[in-house]
Amino acid sequence: MDAQPLAVGIIGCGNVGRILAEKQNTFRITAAYDCVPGCALDFSARFGAKPLTEFAELLAEPVEIVVEAASVSAVREYAIDVLRSGKDLIILSVGALADETFRIELLGEARRLNRKIHVPSGAIMGLDNIRIGQVSSVDTILLRTTKNPLSLGIGEPETKCVFSGTASECVQRYPKNTNVAVSLSLACGCDASVEVWSDPGETKNMHEIIFSGEFGEAYIRIRNNPSSGNGATSRLAALSALSILENLKNPLVIGA
Ligand SMILES: NC(=O)c1ccc[n+]([C@@H]2O[C@H](COP(=O)([O-])OP(=O)(O)OC[C@H]3O[C@@H](n4cnc5c(N)ncnc54)[C@H](O)[C@@H]3O)[C@@H](O)[C@H]2O)c1
């Protein structure tokens, strides 16, 4: 491994940003931008990163990679400029890539500039091998998400399927479930089927993935602990970005 820690910039000093900073080991978050200046300043006071109150300042910072941990609108606004400034990018707000026109433009720029865009597994597991959908036939790829009605923002007293359709329809009708559905579709190379269930007895956000095709059959179930700073964000989402950063300089690449 390099003696120098990997220098990382961050957009979004909220819950995911804080977890990454608390757990940084082989990398250093050296620059932090947030559209709420107080968030960047607090983050800086706590973790020592340079606080940036203008996005343009981040482009001039000597960081190798930028983590977007902010919002779908932040991806749309900043991602292409990050690549053009010669930095790679990790995107948490993957829902932004549901817009095909934007996705094609972004990936075209990444290709032209020879830059990488990393999409962490986020709140699910298994995206590494679900990529086999891009190289072999797929019979079924279904994401079934079950949440407490309070997490879904509805007052449903019974266990009930509140959405059934494709990932791209889910983006329109159930945006709260977008990141995971879009990640799964991108990994598999096809529009995944999605069900969203409301269950008053479920205390965690649960995702089940049912996948079958040329390889055989798989079933993955994840019951996520919430992160302490933002109950809507599973702790796993931050940890999955952390594991990408910790492994970027590792010569042994496992399962990616
Ligand atoms: N891929 C996944 O599976 C997955 C899972 C959980 C969360 N996420 C996404 O990760 C992102 C971060 O989650 P979080 O829990 O840290 O959120 P958070 O609300 O705790 O923090 C987000 C921070 O980003 C800042 N921000 C928002 N829009 C911005 C913009 N346009 N420019 C600059 N700063 C901006 C906010 O001020 C806030 O400080 C969210 O978009 C969330 O949807 C993805």
Side-chain angles (χ1 to χ4, degrees):
M1 295 218 190
D2 287 4
Q4 282 295 319
L6 178 80
V8 175
I10 196 153
I11 302 172
C13 300
N15 174 56
V16 169
R18 278 193 301 272
I19 293 172
L20 294 178
E22 280 162 4
K23 289 185 159 286
Q24 58 191 328
N25 181 25
T26 61
F27 65 93
R28 286 285 168 273
I29 300 178
T30 57
Y33 166 66
D34 198 292
C35 63
V36 179
C39 291
L41 292 168
D42 287 351
F43 187 92
S44 161
R46 216 170 136 193
F47 302 112
K50 182 172 168 186
L52 309 174
T53 51
E54 297 291 335
F55 168 69
E57 296 173 83
L58 181 58
L59 302 177
E61 284 295 312
V63 298
E64 287 179 58
I65 189 162
V66 169
V67 180
E68 174 286 316
S71 58
V72 163
S73 60
V75 178
R76 297 184 66 97
E77 212 174 327
Y78 310 130
I80 289 177
D81 285 342
V82 168
L83 300 177
R84 287 181 181 158
S85 71
K87 305 169 194 355
D88 290 341
L89 183 61
I90 296 180
I91 293 180
L92 265 299
S93 308
V94 195
L97 304 184
D99 177 338
E100 194 179 2
T101 308
F102 173 69
R103 189 176 70 241
I104 289 171
E105 187 189 359
L106 180 68
L107 298 187
E109 278 300 271
R111 212 167 275 122
R112 185 178 73 79
L113 298 162
N114 198 24
R115 300 261 57 100
K116 288 276 187 212
I117 300 169
H118 302 265
V119 172
S121 262
I124 53 175
M125 291 191 176
L127 289 190
D128 51 353
N129 249 350
I130 287 171
R131 291 188 310 185
I132 64 166
Q134 298 175 29
V135 296
S136 64
S137 63
V138 174
D139 297 329
T140 309
I141 178 77
L142 168 66
L143 170 71
R144 184 183 297 132
T145 297
T146 305
K147 294 183 178 179
N148 189 281
L150 293 175
S151 303
L152 291 167
I154 57 176
E156 183 59 57
E158 308 277 315
T159 300
K160 188 176 172 188
C161 181
V162 295
F163 172 82
S164 176
T166 62
S168 43
E169 289 163 352
C170 185
V171 170
Q172 306 297 328
R173 292 192 25 215
Y174 240 91
K176 284 189 174 176
N177 213 41
T178 299
N179 288 319
V180 170
V182 172
S183 305
L184 195 65
S185 296
L186 289 173
C188 194
C190 58
D191 205 2
S193 302
V194 177
E195 291 175 9
V196 180
W197 286 75
S198 170
D199 179 352
E202 181 57 75
T203 54
K204 300 189 175 185
N205 289 349
M206 178 167 81
H207 299 290
E208 294 165 282
I209 297 166
I210 294 130
F211 184 32
S212 69
E214 183 181 330
F215 75 97
E217 299 165 12
Y219 171 74
I220 304 170
R221 188 182 76 167
I222 307 108
R223 289 188 73 236
N224 277 312
N225 288 332
S227 48
S228 50
N230 179 351
T233 294
S234 301
R235 192 161 176 84
L236 177 60
L239 295 179
S240 74
L242 178 74
S243 75
I244 288 184
L245 286 167
E246 290 292 357
N247 277 288
L248 277 177
K249 300 263 177 175
N250 191 338
L252 181 62
V253 179
I254 298 177

